[in-house]
Amino acid sequence: MNSLSRRRFLKISGATISAAAAVTSLSSVVKGAQKIDEKTGKPIKGIQKIPTYCDVCFWKCGAIAYLKDGELWKIEGNPNDPLSNGRLCPRGTGGIGAHYSTDRIKHPLIRKNERGEEKWVEVTWDEALEYIATKMKKIKREYGPESMALFSHGVGGTFLKHTMKAYGTNNMTAPSFAQCRGPREVGFEMTFGEGVGSPERTDIENAKCITFIGSHLGENMHNTQVQELSKAIANNASIIVVDPRFSVVASKAKYYLPIKPGTDIALLLAWMNVIVKEKLYDVDYVEKYGYGFEQFAAEIEDKTPEWAYPITTIEPELIRKSAREMAKNIPASFIHPGRHTTWYGDDTQRSRAIALLNALLGAWGRKGGFYLPNKFSVPKYSDYPKYPKSKKPLVHNPGHKYPYAEGEQLSTGIREATINGIPYPIKGWMVYATNLLQALPNRDETIAAIKNLDLLVVVDIVPSEIAGWADVILPEATYLERYDDLNNAPFKQNFVSLRQPVIDAPHDQKPNWWIAKKLADKLGVGNYFPWNNIEEYLDARLKKAGLSLAELKKKGVVKGEKQPIYFDEGIEPGFFTPSGKIEFYSLQLEEHGFDPIPKFTDHGNPPPGYFRLLFGRAPVHTFSKTQSYKFLKDAMSENEVWMNQTVANKMGLKSGEYVQLKNQDGKKSGRVKVRPTERIRTDCVYMVHGFGQTAKEMKTTYKKGGSDAELVTRYKMDPIMGGTGMNVNYVTIDWEA
Amino acid sequence: MARYGMVIDTLKCVGCQDCVIACEAENSVPEGFCRDWITTEAKGTFPTIQMEIRTERCNHCTDAPCVSACPTGASHYHDIGGVVLVNHDECIGCKACIASCPYDARFVHPEGYVDKCTFCIHRVEKGQDPACVSVCPTYCMTFGDFDDPGSEVNKLLNSRRYHSLLPEAGTKPNIYYLT
């Protein structure tokens, strides 16, 4: 970096000390902001501003970290970042709590006693990595490298994936597919030939009508979407909300449909029935781009609001009015596809129905509907040797039982192979940044799988529940203390952003890239890391895109030229389906013996005395990850169980009283407060996910609130893509709290 | 003269607490305390419910009872914008102000003085918005000068229905909520 660019930055930022001061040279391993001035040897006074991108959730908002006198003070949105627009969500604002968490793992740990007893010996990095490499080599010798599997969540897993591929396995997965957004992606691919992606390609800010089905935006804080929702509200957009719970966004709605859980497909069919019968759909669009509309129209002919009423409990008139409202605003009207969509096991078909309703509204490719994202092109790092080829199949989906699980792998499939050894044994798990005991349904199965392992390595910031079962825990530097790979996710405005360290890791924690590289060395595949440190890697990638690491370190984010994002802006409509059209009748589903047009399936009722368990998000927490963060733990230290006020009164339950929930299989939630409220139906209860953590070493979160994860013992597999429908558990109140 | 205040759009607010956390970080608020908070008021029975979500804080009242209740003059109107502040050095921690505040906006800081929202006067003096306003992902808060007829806050009050909190307390609060 030359002094000229440093001066220029000073002028732009107006900061007392330039962020550029944080950059010493490419030879530094990982260094955050300077605390000591190199020239004077004195502590740096004043403010340093360092751009980076957030990691508290997967949205990856551009941010600027502030250091005051060398200490991490606060973090704000980067005004030049198109995702954050200069404003982070509460989790991002509270992100500095990741650095300050008192529960952090300080050194690598090797298990001392039985698995799950959480007793450890502190070791050096060299000892820990040597131990892992020795075990991995033994697994390779005895079973083949494919008997190691990687579970990974987020961008931080990039380099560990690389190491695992170099070692010789492709069994790698993230619960974010089959436990979360998978059914939605497949449902939309079947229909439009493309998934929704992340960030979702929803043009909320330009919509005149937005329909949410069980998606509680505002409680889930997908930052750009929340910002756009506010703009839509300011523009007087109509909002339609379908939810068994009167969510925050329901309070903004023109029409609120308090649906019986599990009956959404019936409502969707009835809405489409109204829109087709009354010919309210975008006729030109459907004629031009649709395939199989006649068969589809015939199929929904008898799915009237009167048919749907006893199923959904939604009055026919309300179904009609809300259908007309969404049709009135064509094409700037769309049904939000949601994100966590693994509910009842027919979730791909529900997502198909959502996609089809969007197709009737002409929303795909249209302003105020689904835009067509574009991506800032940054070539991949190419100077790697070829990965070894495996003759063995992947283990996650034997016999291709789930035909559309092939793009991303099934986490429960790898778990199953670990339990039963089919098609071959899995003997080692590497787990990166995902607490599998919260993310996967049925804990007993996860623990049964772990008991079959010769090696369980967990890379984590804190001693999470899954870390408690590990043989080796590797303490990772938080996102504020490390580099990661670049973010150039497809979006309305193409961009590339950098994550860089803003402060040093407080103890012996290391960044994931360093861990991956050192482990590769120990495994004898160090030649797969031809770069000395990640700065070289990032600079090489950025140079190929006509940028440089130095530039990104200063700016944090660089935007590309604005590209067209709607059909109306000149993009030629194209649909990557077998027919090349929007498939009202799915040829792919037909080929595999599934319903080519979605059908309603009954998902039953809770037995007497039981309630259907629903779970969701709070604005201040991500999964089970953030509960120990300073600020965020104060903002919500435990969850509550929402229960209808009348039901609570009948049962004599008082607000704030502690109970336990017990599910149909006798599993208990742990102590949780009752929240009697008018804001929920009588046949279900609701909890925020991620609480009631059982890891003893998590001092700030141990047994705070109730665990929905403990209660999700049953799950219903989606036959199309292997998703795990998890809203199929029933709970009752157990007073012994 | 200026009279600083806020207009908050309850139709936009989602109650996410970003304002609360931004304030805590900006002002190093001690753990377990906050200078702003979220109130959710739901009326009706399921499924016919009216709900208002609000971010609340000190109302920086024009007739502030905390200022008149303070025996030492520590609670005072700032020269700029009439912002109600507490001079930490003059505060004896008697809590008379806490008892007099109808909004429960004050608390005793662990260091012994009474603390509360300052409208981030240190930011406002530099031409910035208060931290809570600048962070809000729903853009629901607008900070400005009610004595300036052309100000954004006055424009908002002229264009929408609004209410303030506990007007019957007669304190002339300077935060208004659009409904």
Side-chain angles (χ1 to χ4, degrees):
Chain A
M1 170 157 318
N2 60 47
S3 56
L4 181 71
S5 61
R6 189 176 289 196
R7 266 203 304 279
R8 193 184 301 140
F9 178 67
L10 271 171
K11 207 171 150 192
I12 294 163
S13 72
T16 316
I17 308 281
S18 158
V23 189
T24 46
S25 75
L26 288 184
S27 63
S28 65
V29 180
V30 199
K31 276 285 167 197
Q34 282 180 291
K35 290 188 178 178
I36 305 292
D37 189 300
E38 277 174 9
K39 281 185 189 154
T40 63
K42 285 181 182 161
I44 288 184
K45 287 281 170 199
I47 306 295
Q48 298 180 68
K49 288 159 76 170
I50 302 175
T52 187
Y53 72 82
C54 185
D55 189 44
V56 185
C57 85
F58 39 76
W59 208 256
K60 307 190 187 83
C61 292
I64 296 175
Y66 284 68
L67 287 99
K68 198 195 278 175
D69 301 338
E71 296 296 329
L72 185 58
W73 169 32
K74 64 176 180 178
I75 186 158
E76 295 180 349
N78 182 340
N80 293 320
D81 171 58
L83 292 170
S84 74
N85 300 301
R87 294 172 182 233
L88 297 177
C89 84
R91 297 164 304 162
T93 305
I96 64 167
H99 173 74
Y100 287 116
S101 170
T102 51
D103 287 333
R104 288 189 68 170
I105 316 161
K106 296 176 178 167
H107 306 278
L109 301 170
I110 291 183
R111 176 165 64 84
K112 194 159 76 176
N113 296 1
E114 289 302 304
R115 278 206 183 113
E117 286 187 12
E118 298 180 68
K119 299 288 178 206
W120 314 97
V121 184
E122 273 184 26
V123 295
T124 64
W125 275 96
D126 194 62
E127 287 167 327
L129 294 171
E130 188 65 39
Y131 180 93
I132 295 165
T134 305
K135 291 260 186 178
M136 281 177 72
K137 284 179 187 164
K138 188 160 180 275
I139 289 170
K140 193 175 195 167
R141 244 186 351 260
E142 292 176 5
Y143 302 95
E146 301 86 350
S147 288
M148 274 298 298
L150 171 69
F151 296 80
S152 162
H153 186 267
V155 64
T158 306
F159 300 105
L160 276 170
K161 281 182 194 162
H162 179 58
T163 298
M164 297 299 270
K165 284 180 187 169
Y167 163 83
T169 182
N170 276 307
N171 288 314
M172 46 189 69
T173 179
S176 51
F177 178 68
Q179 282 66 52
C180 194
R181 60 182 166 74
R184 175 196 84 185
E185 291 304 285
V186 176
F188 273 67
E189 279 164 21
M190 298 288 121
T191 311
F192 298 109
E194 280 180 88
V196 179
S198 176
E200 286 81 11
R201 48 173 83 184
T202 49
D203 194 17
I204 298 174
E205 65 182 324
N206 292 310
K208 297 196 179 105
C209 180
I210 311 154
T211 303
F212 294 97
I213 302 183
S215 173
H216 49 14
L217 193 60
E219 287 162 277
N220 67 45
M221 287 302 295
H222 302 154
N223 191 358
T224 327
Q225 293 193 14
V226 175
Q227 295 192 21
E228 291 198 9
L229 179 67
S230 168
K231 288 181 192 165
I233 289 170
N235 294 337
N236 285 318
S238 303
I239 294 170
I240 298 168
V241 172
V242 180
D243 201 313
R245 185 178 65 98
F246 189 84
S247 58
V248 164
V249 71
S251 73
K252 320 285 184 196
K254 181 166 182 179
Y255 295 109
Y256 168 56
L257 286 68
I259 196 163
K260 178 182 164 185
T263 66
D264 310 278
I265 294 181
L267 172 67
L268 284 156
L269 295 176
W271 267 341
M272 293 195 278
N273 173 285
V274 174
I275 288 171
V276 170
K277 259 193 190 158
E278 299 185 12
K279 221 172 179 183
L280 304 173
Y281 60 98
D282 191 332
V283 177
D284 284 352
Y285 184 94
V286 168
E287 275 179 8
K288 224 170 170 180
Y289 307 125
Y291 171 84
F293 179 74
E294 287 72 26
Q295 287 138 299
F296 161 78
E299 172 77 29
I300 60 164
E301 171 73 33
D302 57 350
K303 304 295 181 290
T304 60
E306 285 69 24
W307 165 81
Y309 173 45
I311 300 170
T312 60
T313 76
I314 306 299
E315 302 272 355
E317 204 41 36
L318 184 52
I319 296 177
R320 287 207 167 81
K321 272 189 188 163
S322 48
R324 288 169 192 152
E325 182 70 29
M326 55 182 90
K328 194 174 82 187
N329 292 291
I330 279 176
S333 172
F334 73 95
I335 320 303
H336 195 285
R339 186 159 181 123
H340 184 271
T341 48
T342 43
W343 301 349
Y344 300 102
D346 57 355
D347 306 301
T348 303
Q349 291 288 15
R350 185 186 64 253
S351 298
R352 263 273 296 156
I354 289 173
L356 290 176
L357 180 49
N358 279 310
L360 289 177
L361 299 171
W364 189 264
R366 307 291 281 280
K367 190 172 180 178
F370 293 82
Y371 66 87
L372 302 161
N374 53 72
K375 189 170 174 169
F376 193 106
S377 171
V378 185
K380 285 196 184 333
Y381 190 91
S382 55
D383 297 336
Y384 290 141
K386 279 214 160 54
Y387 295 125
K389 277 222 166 98
S390 170
K391 290 190 185 102
K392 292 185 184 173
L394 299 175
V395 295
H396 76 107
N397 187 21
H400 306 288
K401 184 175 173 189
Y402 305 103
Y404 291 98
E406 296 303 295
E408 297 178 62
Q409 299 177 37
L410 305 177
S411 297
T412 51
I414 291 183
R415 182 177 73 178
E416 209 170 309
T418 311
I419 294 171
N420 62 25
I422 298 169
Y424 52 85
I426 293 293
K427 302 306 286 184
W429 283 7
M430 176 83 70
V431 180
Y432 174 77
T434 173
N435 181 4
L436 295 180
L437 289 170
Q438 290 270 350
L440 302 182
N442 198 319
R443 280 192 173 187
D444 287 351
E445 286 183 45
T446 307
I447 290 166
I450 289 171
K451 286 182 174 163
N452 278 353
L453 295 173
D454 292 345
L455 177 67
L456 173 55
V457 181
V458 173
V459 184
D460 213 331
I461 307 288
V462 291
S464 62
E465 288 158 300
I466 185 66
W469 287 87
D471 301 327
V472 188
I473 308 180
L474 300 178
E476 197 195 7
T478 68
Y479 74 104
L480 296 161
E481 301 148 4
R482 69 178 197 238
Y483 284 103
D484 268 320
D485 210 346
L486 303 164
N487 180 30
N488 59 336
F491 190 58
K492 315 185 144 165
Q493 163 65 58
N494 66 79
F495 68 96
V496 55
S497 58
L498 174 75
R499 176 173 297 151
Q500 64 176 321
V502 302
I503 194 160
D504 295 342
H507 317 97
D508 199 8
Q509 297 95 348
K510 298 286 186 193
N512 59 68
W513 68 264
W514 184 94
I515 298 170
K517 183 172 161 63
K518 292 288 169 189
L519 179 60
D521 283 343
K522 294 268 184 204
L523 289 167
V525 291
N527 57 320
Y528 282 81
F529 286 84
W531 36 270
N532 290 310
N533 60 53
I534 193 173
E535 289 163 307
E536 276 181 34
Y537 164 91
L538 293 168
D539 199 44
R541 281 197 73 192
L542 287 163
K543 287 265 160 67
K544 284 189 195 166
L547 300 165
S548 71
L549 180 59
E551 183 180 357
L552 262 289
K553 284 176 78 78
K554 279 182 285 174
K555 296 178 177 168
V557 58
V558 170
K559 288 188 265 197
E561 222 170 278
K562 194 110 179 75
Q563 305 287 332
I565 55 171
Y566 310 120
F567 294 161
D568 298 341
E569 289 179 338
I571 297 180
E572 185 62 33
F575 305 97
F576 308 104
T577 54
S579 63
K581 295 196 159 192
I582 300 171
E583 296 201 350
F584 285 91
Y585 184 95
S586 170
L587 294 169
Q588 293 177 90
L589 290 175
E590 182 191 42
E591 185 194 332
H592 288 280
F594 300 116
D595 294 329
I597 297 159
K599 285 191 165 73
F600 167 70
T601 315
D602 184 30
H603 294 297
N605 295 303
Y610 281 78
F611 308 89
R612 190 182 290 275
L613 174 67
L614 303 177
F615 59 92
R617 304 279 180 235
V620 294
H621 288 295
T622 300
F623 316 138
S624 59
K625 172 174 168 171
T626 52
Q627 281 78 359
S628 73
Y629 288 17
K630 177 181 171 177
F631 302 129
L632 300 184
K633 69 174 184 218
D634 268 4
M636 183 180 184
S637 59
E638 59 188 296
N639 60 355
E640 299 167 311
V641 54
W642 293 48
M643 177 179 252
N644 179 273
Q645 182 74 57
T646 308
V647 173
N649 290 350
K650 271 188 199 154
M651 296 178 81
L653 288 165
K654 299 266 180 303
S655 180
E657 179 180 350
Y658 278 100
V659 295
Q660 288 212 78
L661 298 180
K662 186 167 79 177
N663 80 352
Q664 70 282 330
D665 300 320
K667 289 282 182 187
K668 292 182 182 178
S669 64
R671 277 159 55 89
V672 60
K673 277 182 186 172
V674 178
R675 174 176 178 167
T677 174
E678 289 294 342
R679 293 174 55 194
I680 192 165
R681 286 173 63 97
T682 55
D683 53 4
C684 53
V685 293
Y686 172 84
M687 296 163 87
V688 169
H689 172 74
F691 286 86
Q693 297 180 18
T694 51
K696 294 184 207 73
E697 291 303 308
M698 292 290 297
K699 310 274 189 228
T700 51
T701 68
Y702 181 62
K703 293 195 171 173
K704 291 267 170 68
S707 169
D708 59 297
E710 287 275 14
L711 300 171
V712 179
T713 51
R714 294 190 187 172
Y715 55 97
K716 204 166 171 191
M717 295 300 289
D718 188 316
I720 300 172
M721 50 59 71
T724 56
M726 294 186 271
N727 291 2
V728 298
N729 290 274
Y730 301 122
V731 296
T732 187
I733 301 292
D734 185 39
W735 269 268
E736 290 168 31
Chain B
M1 278 299 285
R3 180 164 61 94
Y4 284 148
M6 281 185 192
V7 175
I8 296 169
D9 190 340
T10 63
L11 299 186
K12 290 181 177 174
C13 178
V14 294
C16 72
Q17 300 193 63
D18 209 354
C19 48
V20 179
I21 293 160
C23 168
E24 289 172 346
E26 176 71 29
N27 297 298
S28 304
V29 178
E31 249 185 85
F33 297 92
C34 57
R35 292 181 178 184
D36 54 350
W37 59 92
I38 300 291
T39 298
T40 303
E41 265 179 21
K43 290 175 196 154
T45 53
F46 190 83
T48 311
I49 292 165
Q50 297 284 312
M51 194 159 92
E52 183 173 296
I53 306 169
R54 291 191 301 264
T55 165
E56 297 183 9
R57 59 192 46 62
C58 169
N59 279 272
H60 295 273
C61 307
T62 300
D63 286 344
C66 54
V67 172
S68 34
C70 180
T72 69
S75 278
H76 64 283
Y77 302 104
H78 190 54
D79 300 342
I80 302 168
V83 174
V84 176
L85 298 178
V86 181
N87 184 328
H88 299 166
D89 296 335
E90 289 173 20
C91 175
I92 54 170
C94 73
K95 303 182 193 169
C97 57
I98 293 179
S100 76
C101 174
Y103 304 106
D104 203 13
R106 293 169 164 244
F107 59 91
V108 181
H109 191 284
E111 286 172 17
Y113 55 83
V114 166
D115 200 14
K116 67 167 198 69
C117 165
T118 63
F119 267 163
C120 282
I121 193 71
H122 63 288
R123 291 173 59 98
V124 171
E125 284 174 354
K126 283 191 271 181
Q128 298 172 319
D129 272 331
C132 56
V133 175
S134 73
V135 78
C136 177
T138 71
Y139 305 79
C140 79
M141 283 173 265
T142 308
F143 178 81
D145 178 8
F146 286 119
D147 279 351
D148 171 4
S151 66
E152 194 57 32
V153 283
N154 276 326
K155 281 186 200 160
L156 283 166
L157 290 192
N158 290 334
S159 66
R160 294 268 300 271
R161 287 194 309 168
Y162 61 85
H163 68 86
S164 59
L165 299 180
L166 304 176
E168 64 277 16
T171 63
K172 297 187 186 161
N174 283 307
I175 297 181
Y176 295 92
Y177 294 92
L178 302 175
T179 57

